[in-house]
mmCIF file of all heavy atoms in Angstrom:
data_model
loop_
_atom_site.group_PDB
_atom_site.id
_atom_site.type_symbol
_atom_site.label_atom_id
_atom_site.label_comp_id
_atom_site.label_asym_id
_atom_site.label_seq_id
_atom_site.Cartn_x
_atom_site.Cartn_y
_atom_site.Cartn_z
ATOM 1 N N ILE F 644 -21.049 -18.682 42.413
ATOM 2 C CA ILE F 644 -21.521 -17.774 41.368
ATOM 3 C C ILE F 644 -23.044 -17.715 41.365
ATOM 4 O O ILE F 644 -23.719 -18.614 41.863
ATOM 5 C CB ILE F 644 -21.008 -18.181 39.969
ATOM 6 C CG1 ILE F 644 -21.463 -19.609 39.620
ATOM 7 C CG2 ILE F 644 -19.494 -18.044 39.894
ATOM 8 C CD1 ILE F 644 -21.140 -20.013 38.177
ATOM 9 N N GLY F 645 -23.554 -16.632 40.791
ATOM 10 C CA GLY F 645 -24.992 -16.446 40.659
ATOM 11 C C GLY F 645 -25.296 -15.666 39.394
ATOM 12 O O GLY F 645 -24.428 -15.462 38.541
ATOM 13 N N ALA F 646 -26.542 -15.234 39.290
ATOM 14 C CA ALA F 646 -26.993 -14.451 38.144
ATOM 15 C C ALA F 646 -27.501 -13.101 38.631
ATOM 16 O O ALA F 646 -27.811 -12.924 39.818
ATOM 17 C CB ALA F 646 -28.100 -15.195 37.398
ATOM 18 N N GLN F 647 -27.588 -12.158 37.709
ATOM 19 C CA GLN F 647 -28.106 -10.828 38.042
ATOM 20 C C GLN F 647 -29.619 -10.928 38.227
ATOM 21 O O GLN F 647 -30.393 -10.917 37.272
ATOM 22 C CB GLN F 647 -27.782 -9.836 36.914
ATOM 23 C CG GLN F 647 -26.314 -9.462 36.821
ATOM 24 C CD GLN F 647 -25.901 -8.430 37.865
ATOM 25 O OE1 GLN F 647 -26.688 -8.050 38.733
ATOM 26 N NE2 GLN F 647 -24.666 -7.969 37.790
ATOM 27 N N ALA F 655 -35.929 -19.874 37.460
ATOM 28 C CA ALA F 655 -34.796 -20.765 37.721
ATOM 29 C C ALA F 655 -33.624 -20.355 36.833
ATOM 30 O O ALA F 655 -33.677 -20.545 35.614
ATOM 31 C CB ALA F 655 -35.185 -22.210 37.451
ATOM 32 N N PRO F 656 -32.557 -19.791 37.384
ATOM 33 C CA PRO F 656 -31.402 -19.419 36.564
ATOM 34 C C PRO F 656 -30.645 -20.657 36.087
ATOM 35 O O PRO F 656 -30.618 -21.690 36.767
ATOM 36 C CB PRO F 656 -30.543 -18.578 37.521
ATOM 37 C CG PRO F 656 -30.901 -19.082 38.882
ATOM 38 C CD PRO F 656 -32.342 -19.471 38.813
ATOM 39 N N THR F 657 -30.034 -20.529 34.926
ATOM 40 C CA THR F 657 -29.253 -21.621 34.344
ATOM 41 C C THR F 657 -27.839 -21.125 34.063
ATOM 42 O O THR F 657 -27.644 -19.992 33.616
ATOM 43 C CB THR F 657 -29.898 -22.113 33.035
ATOM 44 O OG1 THR F 657 -31.242 -22.545 33.310
ATOM 45 C CG2 THR F 657 -29.121 -23.285 32.447
ATOM 46 N N PHE F 658 -26.857 -21.993 34.315
ATOM 47 C CA PHE F 658 -25.445 -21.665 34.113
ATOM 48 C C PHE F 658 -24.825 -22.711 33.195
ATOM 49 O O PHE F 658 -25.226 -23.868 33.188
ATOM 50 C CB PHE F 658 -24.708 -21.644 35.450
ATOM 51 C CG PHE F 658 -25.291 -20.673 36.445
ATOM 52 C CD1 PHE F 658 -26.378 -21.038 37.225
ATOM 53 C CD2 PHE F 658 -24.775 -19.406 36.581
ATOM 54 C CE1 PHE F 658 -26.937 -20.151 38.131
ATOM 55 C CE2 PHE F 658 -25.322 -18.506 37.484
ATOM 56 C CZ PHE F 658 -26.405 -18.881 38.257
ATOM 57 N N ARG F 659 -23.807 -22.289 32.434
ATOM 58 C CA ARG F 659 -23.135 -23.255 31.562
ATOM 59 C C ARG F 659 -21.664 -22.882 31.395
ATOM 60 O O ARG F 659 -21.272 -21.724 31.548
ATOM 61 C CB ARG F 659 -23.808 -23.313 30.191
ATOM 62 C CG ARG F 659 -23.608 -22.083 29.333
ATOM 63 C CD ARG F 659 -24.306 -22.232 27.973
ATOM 64 N NE ARG F 659 -24.063 -21.057 27.123
ATOM 65 C CZ ARG F 659 -24.622 -20.859 25.942
ATOM 66 N NH1 ARG F 659 -25.466 -21.761 25.451
ATOM 67 N NH2 ARG F 659 -24.337 -19.765 25.242
ATOM 68 N N LYS F 660 -20.879 -23.910 31.088
ATOM 69 C CA LYS F 660 -19.463 -23.737 30.815
ATOM 70 C C LYS F 660 -19.052 -24.782 29.785
ATOM 71 O O LYS F 660 -19.314 -25.969 29.939
ATOM 72 C CB LYS F 660 -18.638 -23.917 32.096
ATOM 73 C CG LYS F 660 -17.128 -23.884 31.897
ATOM 74 C CD LYS F 660 -16.614 -22.508 31.515
ATOM 75 C CE LYS F 660 -15.098 -22.473 31.457
ATOM 76 N NZ LYS F 660 -14.582 -21.131 31.092
ATOM 77 N N THR F 661 -18.405 -24.328 28.701
ATOM 78 C CA THR F 661 -17.920 -25.220 27.652
ATOM 79 C C THR F 661 -16.404 -25.341 27.757
ATOM 80 O O THR F 661 -15.705 -24.356 28.009
ATOM 81 C CB THR F 661 -18.334 -24.687 26.269
ATOM 82 O OG1 THR F 661 -19.769 -24.665 26.191
ATOM 83 C CG2 THR F 661 -17.798 -25.587 25.159
ATOM 84 N N ALA F 682 -29.954 -28.935 39.375
ATOM 85 C CA ALA F 682 -30.022 -30.041 38.426
ATOM 86 C C ALA F 682 -28.863 -29.861 37.467
ATOM 87 O O ALA F 682 -28.799 -28.864 36.747
ATOM 88 C CB ALA F 682 -31.350 -30.053 37.683
ATOM 89 N N GLN F 684 -26.236 -31.172 34.382
ATOM 90 C CA GLN F 684 -26.112 -31.994 33.184
ATOM 91 C C GLN F 684 -24.730 -31.811 32.585
ATOM 92 O O GLN F 684 -24.133 -30.734 32.695
ATOM 93 C CB GLN F 684 -27.157 -31.608 32.139
ATOM 94 C CG GLN F 684 -28.596 -31.870 32.525
ATOM 95 C CD GLN F 684 -29.548 -31.504 31.384
ATOM 96 O OE1 GLN F 684 -29.186 -30.788 30.459
ATOM 97 N NE2 GLN F 684 -30.758 -32.005 31.460
ATOM 98 N N THR F 723 -19.907 -29.584 27.488
ATOM 99 C CA THR F 723 -20.599 -28.490 28.165
ATOM 100 C C THR F 723 -21.226 -29.001 29.454
ATOM 101 O O THR F 723 -21.946 -30.006 29.458
ATOM 102 C CB THR F 723 -21.703 -27.878 27.282
ATOM 103 O OG1 THR F 723 -21.109 -27.345 26.094
ATOM 104 C CG2 THR F 723 -22.429 -26.758 28.013
ATOM 105 N N ILE F 724 -20.930 -28.315 30.545
ATOM 106 C CA ILE F 724 -21.614 -28.569 31.808
ATOM 107 C C ILE F 724 -22.677 -27.496 31.986
ATOM 108 O O ILE F 724 -22.435 -26.313 31.702
ATOM 109 C CB ILE F 724 -20.630 -28.589 32.993
ATOM 110 C CG1 ILE F 724 -21.380 -28.855 34.310
ATOM 111 C CG2 ILE F 724 -19.797 -27.325 33.079
ATOM 112 C CD1 ILE F 724 -20.455 -29.100 35.487
ATOM 113 N N ARG F 725 -23.830 -27.912 32.420
ATOM 114 C CA ARG F 725 -24.975 -27.007 32.537
ATOM 115 C C ARG F 725 -25.652 -27.267 33.877
ATOM 116 O O ARG F 725 -25.872 -28.422 34.246
ATOM 117 C CB ARG F 725 -25.940 -27.260 31.382
ATOM 118 C CG ARG F 725 -27.204 -26.422 31.381
ATOM 119 C CD ARG F 725 -28.076 -26.903 30.235
ATOM 120 N NE ARG F 725 -29.355 -26.212 30.191
ATOM 121 C CZ ARG F 725 -29.797 -25.531 29.157
ATOM 122 N NH1 ARG F 725 -29.060 -25.442 28.063
ATOM 123 N NH2 ARG F 725 -30.970 -24.945 29.174
ATOM 124 N N VAL F 726 -25.973 -26.205 34.608
ATOM 125 C CA VAL F 726 -26.577 -26.335 35.926
ATOM 126 C C VAL F 726 -27.765 -25.387 36.019
ATOM 127 O O VAL F 726 -27.633 -24.186 35.753
ATOM 128 C CB VAL F 726 -25.571 -26.021 37.052
ATOM 129 C CG1 VAL F 726 -26.228 -26.197 38.414
ATOM 130 C CG2 VAL F 726 -24.337 -26.904 36.933
ATOM 131 N N GLU F 727 -28.910 -25.924 36.394
ATOM 132 C CA GLU F 727 -30.111 -25.121 36.622
ATOM 133 C C GLU F 727 -30.369 -25.093 38.125
ATOM 134 O O GLU F 727 -30.209 -26.109 38.805
ATOM 135 C CB GLU F 727 -31.296 -25.734 35.880
ATOM 136 C CG GLU F 727 -32.511 -24.838 35.791
ATOM 137 C CD GLU F 727 -33.566 -25.408 34.849
ATOM 138 O OE1 GLU F 727 -33.552 -26.633 34.601
ATOM 139 O OE2 GLU F 727 -34.409 -24.636 34.364
ATOM 140 N N LEU F 728 -30.757 -23.936 38.644
ATOM 141 C CA LEU F 728 -30.955 -23.776 40.082
ATOM 142 C C LEU F 728 -32.407 -23.463 40.410
ATOM 143 O O LEU F 728 -33.067 -22.669 39.728
ATOM 144 C CB LEU F 728 -30.084 -22.638 40.628
ATOM 145 C CG LEU F 728 -28.567 -22.780 40.491
ATOM 146 C CD1 LEU F 728 -27.879 -21.605 41.155
ATOM 147 C CD2 LEU F 728 -28.082 -24.094 41.088
ATOM 148 N N MET F 753 -24.422 -21.189 43.154
ATOM 149 C CA MET F 753 -23.831 -22.516 42.999
ATOM 150 C C MET F 753 -22.317 -22.456 43.095
ATOM 151 O O MET F 753 -21.697 -21.395 42.923
ATOM 152 C CB MET F 753 -24.217 -23.126 41.647
ATOM 153 C CG MET F 753 -23.718 -22.331 40.445
ATOM 154 S SD MET F 753 -23.683 -23.290 38.912
ATOM 155 C CE MET F 753 -22.261 -24.354 39.216
ATOM 156 N N GLU F 773 -16.308 -16.568 37.163
ATOM 157 C CA GLU F 773 -16.971 -15.556 36.334
ATOM 158 C C GLU F 773 -16.887 -15.841 34.839
ATOM 159 O O GLU F 773 -17.513 -15.138 34.042
ATOM 160 C CB GLU F 773 -16.365 -14.189 36.628
ATOM 161 C CG GLU F 773 -16.694 -13.668 38.016
ATOM 162 C CD GLU F 773 -15.906 -12.414 38.346
ATOM 163 O OE1 GLU F 773 -14.686 -12.538 38.576
ATOM 164 O OE2 GLU F 773 -16.518 -11.320 38.370
ATOM 165 N N SER F 774 -16.142 -16.870 34.445
ATOM 166 C CA SER F 774 -16.094 -17.226 33.027
ATOM 167 C C SER F 774 -17.321 -18.026 32.596
ATOM 168 O O SER F 774 -17.552 -18.218 31.400
ATOM 169 C CB SER F 774 -14.829 -18.040 32.722
ATOM 170 O OG SER F 774 -14.888 -19.326 33.299
ATOM 171 N N TRP F 775 -18.116 -18.491 33.566
ATOM 172 C CA TRP F 775 -19.339 -19.215 33.237
ATOM 173 C C TRP F 775 -20.390 -18.235 32.725
ATOM 174 O O TRP F 775 -20.350 -17.034 33.041
ATOM 175 C CB TRP F 775 -19.874 -19.945 34.456
ATOM 176 C CG TRP F 775 -19.089 -21.160 34.846
ATOM 177 C CD1 TRP F 775 -17.736 -21.266 34.968
ATOM 178 C CD2 TRP F 775 -19.620 -22.445 35.180
ATOM 179 N NE1 TRP F 775 -17.385 -22.538 35.367
ATOM 180 C CE2 TRP F 775 -18.517 -23.287 35.500
ATOM 181 C CE3 TRP F 775 -20.898 -22.978 35.256
ATOM 182 C CZ2 TRP F 775 -18.683 -24.621 35.878
ATOM 183 C CZ3 TRP F 775 -21.062 -24.299 35.632
ATOM 184 C CH2 TRP F 775 -19.965 -25.109 35.929
ATOM 185 N N GLN F 776 -21.321 -18.737 31.940
ATOM 186 C CA GLN F 776 -22.432 -17.923 31.450
ATOM 187 C C GLN F 776 -23.696 -18.228 32.248
ATOM 188 O O GLN F 776 -23.866 -19.335 32.780
ATOM 189 C CB GLN F 776 -22.682 -18.202 29.967
ATOM 190 C CG GLN F 776 -21.562 -17.740 29.049
ATOM 191 C CD GLN F 776 -21.890 -18.022 27.593
ATOM 192 O OE1 GLN F 776 -22.189 -19.152 27.214
ATOM 193 N NE2 GLN F 776 -21.839 -16.984 26.770
ATOM 194 N N ALA F 777 -24.578 -17.241 32.318
ATOM 195 C CA ALA F 777 -25.827 -17.380 33.065
ATOM 196 C C ALA F 777 -26.979 -16.827 32.234
ATOM 197 O O ALA F 777 -26.804 -15.908 31.425
ATOM 198 C CB ALA F 777 -25.736 -16.637 34.396
ATOM 199 N N THR F 778 -28.167 -17.390 32.453
ATOM 200 C CA THR F 778 -29.362 -16.875 31.788
ATOM 201 C C THR F 778 -30.569 -17.011 32.702
ATOM 202 O O THR F 778 -30.636 -17.927 33.534
ATOM 203 C CB THR F 778 -29.633 -17.614 30.458
ATOM 204 O OG1 THR F 778 -30.760 -17.001 29.805
ATOM 205 C CG2 THR F 778 -29.936 -19.091 30.684
ATOM 206 N N LEU F 779 -31.506 -16.090 32.550
ATOM 207 C CA LEU F 779 -32.809 -16.147 33.224
ATOM 208 C C LEU F 779 -33.913 -16.432 32.215
ATOM 209 O O LEU F 779 -35.089 -16.225 32.512
ATOM 210 C CB LEU F 779 -33.093 -14.835 33.952
ATOM 211 C CG LEU F 779 -32.068 -14.388 34.994
ATOM 212 C CD1 LEU F 779 -32.493 -13.063 35.625
ATOM 213 C CD2 LEU F 779 -31.875 -15.449 36.077
ATOM 214 N N SER F 780 -33.545 -16.929 31.048
ATOM 215 C CA SER F 780 -34.499 -17.121 29.953
ATOM 216 C C SER F 780 -35.074 -18.525 29.893
ATOM 217 O O SER F 780 -35.788 -18.856 28.947
ATOM 218 C CB SER F 780 -33.818 -16.808 28.617
ATOM 219 O OG SER F 780 -33.272 -15.514 28.590
ATOM 220 N N GLY F 781 -34.756 -19.382 30.873
ATOM 221 C CA GLY F 781 -35.194 -20.768 30.838
ATOM 222 C C GLY F 781 -36.689 -20.926 30.995
ATOM 223 O O GLY F 781 -37.410 -19.995 31.366
ATOM 224 N N PRO F 782 -37.194 -22.141 30.746
ATOM 225 C CA PRO F 782 -38.643 -22.371 30.757
ATOM 226 C C PRO F 782 -39.277 -22.403 32.139
ATOM 227 O O PRO F 782 -40.493 -22.241 32.256
ATOM 228 C CB PRO F 782 -38.787 -23.734 30.062
ATOM 229 C CG PRO F 782 -37.473 -24.407 30.285
ATOM 230 C CD PRO F 782 -36.437 -23.321 30.273
ATOM 231 N N ARG F 798 -40.398 -20.911 25.754
ATOM 232 C CA ARG F 798 -39.083 -20.293 25.959
ATOM 233 C C ARG F 798 -38.003 -21.264 25.493
ATOM 234 O O ARG F 798 -37.447 -22.032 26.271
ATOM 235 C CB ARG F 798 -38.916 -19.910 27.435
ATOM 236 C CG ARG F 798 -39.869 -18.773 27.837
ATOM 237 C CD ARG F 798 -39.996 -18.653 29.347
ATOM 238 N NE ARG F 798 -38.790 -18.180 30.007
ATOM 239 C CZ ARG F 798 -38.607 -16.946 30.480
ATOM 240 N NH1 ARG F 798 -39.555 -16.032 30.318
ATOM 241 N NH2 ARG F 798 -37.490 -16.622 31.111
ATOM 242 N N HIS F 799 -37.736 -21.252 24.207
ATOM 243 C CA HIS F 799 -36.800 -22.183 23.590
ATOM 244 C C HIS F 799 -35.353 -21.712 23.774
ATOM 245 O O HIS F 799 -35.065 -20.513 23.799
ATOM 246 C CB HIS F 799 -37.109 -22.336 22.111
ATOM 247 C CG HIS F 799 -38.440 -22.982 21.844
ATOM 248 N ND1 HIS F 799 -39.117 -22.859 20.655
ATOM 249 C CD2 HIS F 799 -39.238 -23.764 22.619
ATOM 250 C CE1 HIS F 799 -40.253 -23.510 20.698
ATOM 251 N NE2 HIS F 799 -40.351 -24.075 21.888
ATOM 252 N N GLU F 800 -34.454 -22.670 23.823
ATOM 253 C CA GLU F 800 -33.059 -22.357 24.142
ATOM 254 C C GLU F 800 -32.400 -21.463 23.106
ATOM 255 O O GLU F 800 -31.549 -20.645 23.453
ATOM 256 C CB GLU F 800 -32.245 -23.644 24.311
ATOM 257 C CG GLU F 800 -30.806 -23.381 24.724
ATOM 258 C CD GLU F 800 -30.130 -24.580 25.315
ATOM 259 O OE1 GLU F 800 -30.792 -25.630 25.460
ATOM 260 O OE2 GLU F 800 -28.937 -24.472 25.649
ATOM 261 N N GLU F 801 -32.785 -21.593 21.848
ATOM 262 C CA GLU F 801 -32.134 -20.760 20.832
ATOM 263 C C GLU F 801 -32.416 -19.269 21.042
ATOM 264 O O GLU F 801 -31.712 -18.415 20.493
ATOM 265 C CB GLU F 801 -32.577 -21.181 19.430
ATOM 266 C CG GLU F 801 -34.074 -21.159 19.191
ATOM 267 C CD GLU F 801 -34.721 -22.515 19.432
ATOM 268 O OE1 GLU F 801 -34.153 -23.321 20.195
ATOM 269 O OE2 GLU F 801 -35.793 -22.757 18.856
ATOM 270 N N ALA F 802 -33.418 -18.956 21.866
ATOM 271 C CA ALA F 802 -33.731 -17.558 22.151
ATOM 272 C C ALA F 802 -33.212 -17.105 23.513
ATOM 273 O O ALA F 802 -33.460 -15.967 23.921
ATOM 274 C CB ALA F 802 -35.241 -17.334 22.069
ATOM 275 N N PHE F 803 -32.495 -17.973 24.224
ATOM 276 C CA PHE F 803 -31.972 -17.593 25.534
ATOM 277 C C PHE F 803 -30.993 -16.419 25.396
ATOM 278 O O PHE F 803 -30.223 -16.346 24.451
ATOM 279 C CB PHE F 803 -31.227 -18.754 26.185
ATOM 280 C CG PHE F 803 -32.111 -19.848 26.745
ATOM 281 C CD1 PHE F 803 -33.469 -19.862 26.504
ATOM 282 C CD2 PHE F 803 -31.566 -20.867 27.507
ATOM 283 C CE1 PHE F 803 -34.278 -20.873 27.005
ATOM 284 C CE2 PHE F 803 -32.354 -21.882 28.008
ATOM 285 C CZ PHE F 803 -33.708 -21.887 27.764
ATOM 286 N N VAL F 804 -31.022 -15.540 26.363
ATOM 287 C CA VAL F 804 -30.067 -14.438 26.445
ATOM 288 C C VAL F 804 -29.051 -14.781 27.534
ATOM 289 O O VAL F 804 -29.388 -14.876 28.712
ATOM 290 C CB VAL F 804 -30.777 -13.113 26.774
ATOM 291 C CG1 VAL F 804 -29.748 -11.995 26.920
ATOM 292 C CG2 VAL F 804 -31.803 -12.772 25.696
ATOM 293 N N TRP F 805 -27.801 -14.980 27.133
ATOM 294 C CA TRP F 805 -26.750 -15.373 28.055
ATOM 295 C C TRP F 805 -25.883 -14.170 28.416
ATOM 296 O O TRP F 805 -25.539 -13.363 27.562
ATOM 297 C CB TRP F 805 -25.869 -16.465 27.449
ATOM 298 C CG TRP F 805 -26.585 -17.760 27.231
ATOM 299 C CD1 TRP F 805 -27.223 -18.161 26.097
ATOM 300 C CD2 TRP F 805 -26.737 -18.830 28.167
ATOM 301 N NE1 TRP F 805 -27.766 -19.411 26.264
ATOM 302 C CE2 TRP F 805 -27.476 -19.850 27.527
ATOM 303 C CE3 TRP F 805 -26.307 -19.039 29.479
ATOM 304 C CZ2 TRP F 805 -27.804 -21.045 28.160
ATOM 305 C CZ3 TRP F 805 -26.637 -20.227 30.110
ATOM 306 C CH2 TRP F 805 -27.371 -21.218 29.454
ATOM 307 N N THR F 806 -25.553 -14.058 29.696
ATOM 308 C CA THR F 806 -24.636 -13.024 30.175
ATOM 309 C C THR F 806 -23.602 -13.692 31.071
ATOM 310 O O THR F 806 -23.683 -14.890 31.365
ATOM 311 C CB THR F 806 -25.387 -11.941 30.970
ATOM 312 O OG1 THR F 806 -26.040 -12.544 32.095
ATOM 313 C CG2 THR F 806 -26.430 -11.253 30.091
ATOM 314 N N GLY F 807 -22.631 -12.936 31.525
ATOM 315 C CA GLY F 807 -21.630 -13.498 32.408
ATOM 316 C C GLY F 807 -22.180 -13.761 33.802
ATOM 317 O O GLY F 807 -22.982 -12.974 34.328
ATOM 318 N N ALA F 808 -21.783 -14.882 34.393
ATOM 319 C CA ALA F 808 -22.136 -15.136 35.792
ATOM 320 C C ALA F 808 -21.441 -14.115 36.684
ATOM 321 O O ALA F 808 -20.421 -13.526 36.314
ATOM 322 C CB ALA F 808 -21.733 -16.549 36.184
ATOM 323 N N ILE F 809 -22.010 -13.893 37.856
ATOM 324 C CA ILE F 809 -21.405 -12.970 38.812
ATOM 325 C C ILE F 809 -20.979 -13.741 40.057
ATOM 326 O O ILE F 809 -21.528 -14.805 40.364
ATOM 327 C CB ILE F 809 -22.369 -11.835 39.203
ATOM 328 C CG1 ILE F 809 -23.626 -12.398 39.880
ATOM 329 C CG2 ILE F 809 -22.747 -11.010 37.980
ATOM 330 C CD1 ILE F 809 -24.546 -11.341 40.459
#
Side-chain angles (χ1 to χ4, degrees):
I644 59 173
Q647 289 281 5
T657 302
F658 302 83
R659 70 180 182 185
K660 175 69 174 180
T661 298
Q684 295 183 343
T723 299
I724 180 171
R725 178 185 177 122
V726 181
E727 193 171 22
L728 299 183
M753 62 161 287
E773 291 171 288
S774 70
W775 287 47
Q776 293 181 305
T778 184
L779 303 180
S780 304
R798 292 164 69 104
H799 294 159
E800 183 161 357
E801 56 266 24
F803 285 9
V804 177
W805 294 92
T806 60
I809 61 172

